[in-house]
Amino acid sequence: MTPRAGILITGTEVLTGIISDRNGPWLSERLRELGVDAAMIAIVGDRREDLLAALEYMRRDGMALIVTSGGLGPTADDLTAEIVGRFSGREMVLDDRLEERIAEILRPLMRRWPGLDPDAIRASNRKQAVIPQGATVLDPVGTAPGLVVPPADPPGPTVVVLPGPPRELQPMWETARATEAFQAAIAGAPTYRRGIVRLFGIPESEIANTLRAAQDDGLDLGPLEITTCLRRAEIEVATMYEPGAQHAYDALIEFIANRHADTLFSRDGSTIDEQVVSLLDGRTIAVAESCTGGLMSARLTERAGSSEYFLGGVVAYSNEAKAQLVGVDPELTARAGAVSTEVAEALADGAAARFGADIGIGITGIAGPGGGTEEKPVGFVCFSVCVRRGDGPAARITRSARLPGNRADVRDRSTTVAMHLLRRVLRGETDTIVLPGQVTQSAKT
Amino acid sequence: MTPRAGILITGTEVLTGIISDRNGPWLSERLRELGVDAAMIAIVGDRREDLLAALEYMRRDGMALIVTSGGLGPTADDLTAEIVGRFSGREMVLDDRLEERIAEILRPLMRRWPGLDPDAIRASNRKQAVIPQGATVLDPVGTAPGLVVPPADPPGPTVVVLPGPPRELQPMWETARATEAFQAAIAGAPTYRRGIVRLFGIPESEIANTLRAAQDDGLDLGPLEITTCLRRAEIEVATMYEPGAQHAYDALIEFIANRHADTLFSRDGSTIDEQVVSLLDGRTIAVAESCTGGLMSARLTERAGSSEYFLGGVVAYSNEAKAQLVGVDPELTARAGAVSTEVAEALADGAAARFGADIGIGITGIAGPGGGTEEKPVGFVCFSVCVRRGDGPAARITRSARLPGNRADVRDRSTTVAMHLLRRVLRGETDTIVLPGQVTQSAKT
């Protein structure tokens, strides 16, 4: 049977959104990897009654393991160890060895700040050495020790108590996992595998239909825990399964691949950004963008080492900038309109030419909220990607699409569309691609 | 008495960290503004028993209000409305008017995807029109309606059911607040005022010192709930207080203003981006940036209507691009180094000249993780902002700073630093500005 676990994030600053929690999702993923069903993340402030109520809830809900983060510091609002001791039915005792260990950690700190009162510091840190009797101590990475606290009166959840800062929590999690008390709590957990595939160019409801069709077709989806999610205009299908269900998972992915050959772009979980970088294969790239306002260049330079392939970009917001910096013919702009596939092509060609790059990307569109017309409404964006060989374009994809959402969505999704067009060109697929809300298309090679 | 509220975030993709939750902290803040004690955020996956258990827990814990996000879509794993109906003791019924409203929303979508089966779509979306009897419907912003569901058998919590995407949830929250059922649930909550001031160029610990000093000075901070937070290299001091504490709040802000005259840039909560736009006053702007890779231009074009002042930008990643597109003298780059205040000035001047803009911004630095040296480590960034009058620069600020954090942090914080230098130039303050980790400086007028 799969043991269940709860994650309890403590801290008023997290509850009120001043600090955003990174530990909950991280611990949830680690627990799943161990075959533990992380069923809930709870975030509560630094209040005794709220901490205890959340722990009691998780016990009643049948959790075999509870992992807490935060509340282990030396100040009065750091309550976790004490509350967990009470919850587990264990008396609080001073651990002499731990007190000495904390003093050792603080010694260099106290030398650096000679003005501090050593007695006051020692007293406030003695608090951190008072732990539930019988708990396993996890050596501090910062100054706060962690704990693994089994129930005094089994059965009941074992509580893993970790500090809040992720750079302390993450290594101490590894230590906690290795303890006997931890292993005993999750005894019987199955091992899980996790597979991710990604699609671009279909609505989320189509994947729901495909899953239903797979079931109608006799595929056994029972042993697969499938989550679909729409992110930055792509669909991500993440599946957790036990090793024995590998065949069921493979059959599902084959089924998806057959129905969505055109839109399934990642079977191994790799992202579009990763794929583009590996497809570039030494070729250089340049951008001329309008409505995305710099976000396309920013996306291509997100990764360390991007200067090896990214030469530069122009944010050509005004028509004059399009002409003077990228060489877009003002007559073309006047004739076809600044937002047109023709100008997108001229931007792509101009970017490649001006920066001397192998590949040029051109983007022009209407991010809104103003500026839309009947023919070219808000969200209408034109894209062109060209790959040069010698003096002229050797391969090109040009498309326009109508993207949903507000100004920020249109700008962000436009960069995703451009990444996918780029991938297609780099793979030599210049004729088949369907965009969400595609309006017109042209493809030449 | 302050009513308590719980926030329930649903979605396996949030629980497993595929999507990070932004709604929990946002709702927590909104509830506090209404005088409601948001005591807990719970995140659970799309499982009936987990959803129901979390709701039951919040009822037992005495919550007057529960706000849920997510699980309102058309697919089978979208369970929230049904579970909330069961929890509130209300039968599920088809709302004809709502069904027609959803069909209306889907019509243009169906035109965009002509290949889809209309009957299948209608059936799967009828599900979204089945709601707990007696609930107040919140009109969809996307395709999912929200709900305000009072308990069938009071007392008990009223549940506000909202969709997961923040751009749908946030406007629908405003609608929910205005409903009678919502107002009844939080009756008795005290009214609060909220004040925000912003500072740039001091460490967060300095604000903690100032608050202590204010207390030592006899200021009464008791009725003020003050949270300080470091965000995008700025410090935000947000204070909640009841109307009777207005005098205490005003005294605190005066105290902060006296101690931090140089770094307090916003007393009314306005952001640096808002301030810059109003200071531009008809002047146009252009950017030449290197390490920020397009993010500076993207920041200046985030707002609707930015084409009125933003003419364009160059992302000059390579030295060749700096020379050819912005006119940076290659000898200067060779002599001073691509990352230098000299090249930052040349970038600012070149941007203004090339785009014919009144104002030019130049940014060059080392975003990391590679490329750092002893003299110019990772995070070392040079900035220049010039305002032209006629042919030459009439006013200019040039600075270098060493910014903390990883590649993404350095890139993002660099845009904040540039925004503040821009504000200073626009205000005619070209001589006094302190940057976090400032290394060198020069200022001419």
Side-chain angles (χ1 to χ4, degrees):
Chain A
M1 208 202 71
T2 308
R4 280 161 65 85
I7 298 164
L8 179 58
I9 308 296
T10 74
T12 303
E13 72 286 4
V14 182
L15 181 62
T16 54
I18 291 173
I19 289 187
S20 75
D21 170 54
R22 284 162 50 203
N23 294 330
W26 189 88
L27 289 167
S28 163
E29 241 186 293
R30 296 294 84 69
L31 285 163
R32 269 152 207 271
E33 284 166 6
L34 296 176
V36 176
D37 177 7
M40 180 191 220
I41 300 170
I43 305 173
V44 300
D46 300 308
R47 284 196 294 213
R48 277 162 210 284
E49 60 280 13
D50 290 352
L51 282 169
L52 200 56
L55 289 168
E56 293 293 358
Y57 165 70
M58 291 179 180
R59 166 149 59 197
R60 270 198 312 272
D61 204 37
M63 308 294 189
L65 192 74
I66 299 173
V67 186
T68 74
S69 95
L72 294 180
T75 58
D77 61 353
D78 291 306
L79 302 162
T80 310
E82 180 201 331
I83 299 290
V84 168
R86 197 202 299 181
F87 170 75
S88 302
R90 291 177 181 276
E91 218 180 308
M92 298 300 285
V93 292
L94 177 66
D95 183 319
D96 297 325
R97 202 201 61 87
L98 182 58
E99 189 185 9
E100 179 44 39
R101 178 80 188 90
I102 295 173
E104 215 171 89
I105 291 169
L106 291 174
R107 226 161 272 142
L109 197 77
M110 283 165 66
R111 268 200 298 275
R112 210 181 308 150
W113 302 90
L116 305 182
D117 173 4
D119 288 338
I121 293 184
R122 211 167 294 135
S124 84
N125 286 287
R126 171 165 301 154
K127 174 181 167 296
Q128 293 181 287
V130 176
I131 60 167
Q133 192 155 38
T136 305
V137 174
L138 307 172
D139 219 33
V141 168
T143 63
L147 300 166
V148 181
V149 190
D153 190 15
T158 292
V159 187
V160 178
V161 179
L162 298 173
R167 62 172 197 85
E168 297 179 30
L169 177 137
Q170 294 180 9
M172 287 170 74
W173 167 255
E174 297 303 326
T175 317
R177 277 182 53 177
T179 62
E180 255 175 70
F182 186 101
Q183 290 300 328
I186 68 159
T191 39
Y192 274 113
R193 291 183 185 166
R194 184 167 190 241
I196 292 180
V197 302
R198 296 174 202 279
L199 301 96
F200 173 73
I202 52 168
E204 200 179 0
S205 58
E206 273 301 282
I207 279 292
N209 285 341
T210 295
L211 296 179
R212 275 192 291 275
Q215 239 158 350
D216 294 347
D217 224 48
L219 266 69
D220 180 17
L221 305 186
L224 307 176
E225 191 185 325
I226 304 165
T227 338
T228 68
C229 111
L230 184 68
R231 188 154 55 174
R232 294 187 88 175
E234 296 173 352
I235 290 168
E236 182 176 296
V237 182
T239 309
M240 297 276 299
Y241 55 96
E242 293 186 36
Q246 185 67 49
H247 181 74
Y249 179 72
D250 293 343
L252 171 66
I253 300 309
E254 267 318 298
F255 192 87
I256 292 177
N258 283 331
R259 276 174 73 105
H260 303 289
D262 277 2
T263 51
L264 179 73
F265 71 90
S266 171
R267 290 175 72 138
D268 61 359
S270 60
T271 63
I272 184 66
D273 299 69
E274 289 163 355
Q275 292 189 8
V276 159
V277 168
S278 69
L279 286 166
L280 276 174
D281 195 23
R283 284 173 286 189
T284 55
I285 193 162
V287 173
E289 57 190 315
S290 178
C291 63
T292 40
L295 291 176
M296 190 67 220
S297 290
R299 183 157 179 175
L300 288 167
T301 56
E302 243 165 42
R303 304 162 67 85
S306 53
S307 56
E308 277 171 35
Y309 46 83
F310 183 80
L311 297 186
V314 172
V315 183
Y317 232 52
S318 65
N319 288 344
E320 294 69 36
K322 289 182 183 71
Q324 281 176 35
L325 275 102
V326 200
V328 178
D329 181 355
E331 275 179 36
L332 176 73
T333 306
R335 192 174 66 244
V339 176
S340 62
T341 49
E342 290 87 342
V343 167
E345 292 195 350
L347 287 169
D349 292 346
R354 290 293 163 111
F355 288 95
D358 301 315
I359 299 158
I361 299 180
I363 306 176
T364 177
I366 296 153
T373 63
E374 182 102 2
E375 197 201 348
K376 294 173 181 176
V378 168
F380 179 79
V381 183
C382 301
F383 303 87
S384 186
V385 180
C386 70
V387 181
R388 300 201 304 170
R389 288 194 193 89
D391 278 341
R396 172 199 297 292
I397 292 185
T398 301
R399 292 288 187 284
S400 67
R402 181 162 171 201
L403 304 174
N406 61 20
R407 181 178 177 85
D409 295 329
V410 169
R411 281 159 49 102
D412 183 54
R413 286 172 188 180
S414 293
T415 67
T416 300
V417 172
M419 290 301 276
H420 280 277
L421 294 175
L422 178 53
R423 172 179 172 272
R424 293 279 177 159
V425 170
L426 292 172
R427 287 164 58 94
E429 300 164 17
T430 46
D431 42 359
T432 57
I433 180 165
V434 184
L435 292 184
Q438 183 164 331
V439 181
T440 66
Q441 59 171 299
S442 73
K444 339 170 192 162
T445 302
Chain B
M1 205 202 71
T2 307
R4 279 162 65 84
I7 297 164
L8 178 57
I9 308 296
T10 75
T12 305
E13 72 283 5
V14 181
L15 182 62
T16 56
I18 292 174
I19 288 188
S20 74
D21 171 54
R22 284 162 49 201
N23 294 330
W26 189 87
L27 288 168
S28 162
E29 238 185 307
R30 294 295 84 70
L31 285 163
R32 270 152 209 273
E33 285 168 6
L34 296 177
V36 176
D37 176 9
M40 180 192 220
I41 300 170
I43 305 173
V44 300
D46 301 307
R47 283 193 299 211
R48 278 164 209 285
E49 59 280 14
D50 290 352
L51 283 169
L52 200 56
L55 289 168
E56 293 292 0
Y57 166 70
M58 290 180 180
R59 168 150 57 199
R60 269 198 313 271
D61 205 35
M63 308 295 188
L65 192 73
I66 300 174
V67 186
T68 74
S69 96
L72 294 181
T75 59
D77 61 353
D78 291 307
L79 301 163
T80 309
E82 180 200 331
I83 298 291
V84 168
R86 197 201 299 178
F87 170 75
S88 304
R90 292 179 181 273
E91 217 180 308
M92 297 301 284
V93 293
L94 177 66
D95 184 319
D96 296 324
R97 202 200 62 86
L98 181 57
E99 189 185 8
E100 180 43 39
R101 179 80 188 88
I102 295 173
E104 214 173 89
I105 291 168
L106 290 173
R107 230 162 268 143
L109 195 79
M110 283 165 67
R111 271 200 296 273
R112 210 184 301 156
W113 302 89
L116 304 184
D117 173 5
D119 287 338
I121 292 184
R122 211 166 293 134
S124 82
N125 284 289
R126 170 163 304 153
K127 176 181 165 297
Q128 292 181 288
V130 176
I131 61 167
Q133 193 156 36
T136 306
V137 174
L138 308 172
D139 219 33
V141 169
T143 65
L147 300 165
V148 181
V149 190
D153 191 16
T158 291
V159 188
V160 178
V161 180
L162 299 172
R167 68 179 186 85
E168 298 180 29
L169 175 137
Q170 294 181 8
M172 287 170 75
W173 166 255
E174 297 303 327
T175 317
R177 276 183 54 177
T179 64
E180 256 175 70
F182 185 102
Q183 291 299 331
I186 68 160
T191 37
Y192 276 111
R193 290 188 184 162
R194 186 168 187 240
I196 293 181
V197 302
R198 299 174 199 279
L199 302 96
F200 173 73
I202 54 167
E204 202 178 0
S205 57
E206 273 300 286
I207 279 293
N209 285 341
T210 295
L211 295 179
R212 274 192 292 274
Q215 238 158 352
D216 294 348
D217 225 46
L219 266 68
D220 180 16
L221 305 187
L224 307 176
E225 190 185 325
I226 304 164
T227 38
T228 68
C229 118
L230 185 67
R231 190 147 54 175
R232 293 188 89 176
E234 294 172 353
I235 292 169
E236 180 178 298
V237 182
T239 308
M240 301 271 299
Y241 55 97
E242 294 189 34
Q246 185 66 49
H247 181 74
Y249 178 72
D250 293 342
L252 171 66
I253 299 310
E254 268 317 299
F255 192 87
I256 292 177
N258 282 333
R259 277 176 71 106
H260 302 290
D262 277 1
T263 52
L264 178 73
F265 69 91
S266 171
R267 288 175 74 138
D268 61 359
S270 60
T271 63
I272 183 67
D273 301 65
E274 288 162 355
Q275 292 189 7
V276 159
V277 168
S278 69
L279 286 167
L280 275 173
D281 195 22
R283 283 172 285 189
T284 57
I285 192 162
V287 173
E289 55 189 318
S290 178
C291 63
T292 40
L295 291 176
M296 191 65 220
S297 290
R299 184 158 181 174
L300 287 167
T301 57
E302 242 166 44
R303 305 164 65 86
S306 53
S307 54
E308 278 172 34
Y309 46 83
F310 183 79
L311 297 186
V314 172
V315 183
Y317 232 50
S318 66
N319 287 345
E320 295 71 34
K322 289 182 183 72
Q324 281 177 35
L325 274 103
V326 199
V328 178
D329 180 356
E331 274 179 38
L332 176 72
T333 307
R335 191 175 66 242
V339 177
S340 61
T341 49
E342 291 87 341
V343 168
E345 293 195 348
L347 287 169
D349 293 345
R354 290 292 162 113
F355 289 94
D358 300 315
I359 298 158
I361 299 180
I363 306 175
T364 177
I366 297 156
T373 63
E374 181 101 4
E375 196 200 349
K376 294 174 182 177
V378 168
F380 179 80
V381 183
C382 302
F383 304 87
S384 187
V385 179
C386 70
V387 180
R388 299 202 304 171
R389 290 196 189 87
D391 277 341
R396 170 199 298 292
I397 292 185
T398 301
R399 292 289 187 280
S400 66
R402 180 159 175 203
L403 303 174
N406 62 21
R407 180 178 177 85
D409 295 329
V410 170
R411 282 160 48 102
D412 183 54
R413 287 171 188 179
S414 293
T415 67
T416 300
V417 172
M419 291 299 278
H420 280 276
L421 294 175
L422 177 53
R423 172 178 173 272
R424 293 279 176 160
V425 170
L426 293 172
R427 287 164 58 94
E429 301 166 16
T430 48
D431 42 358
T432 57
I433 180 165
V434 183
L435 293 183
Q438 184 165 329
V439 181
T440 65
Q441 58 170 299
S442 72
K444 343 171 192 166
T445 300

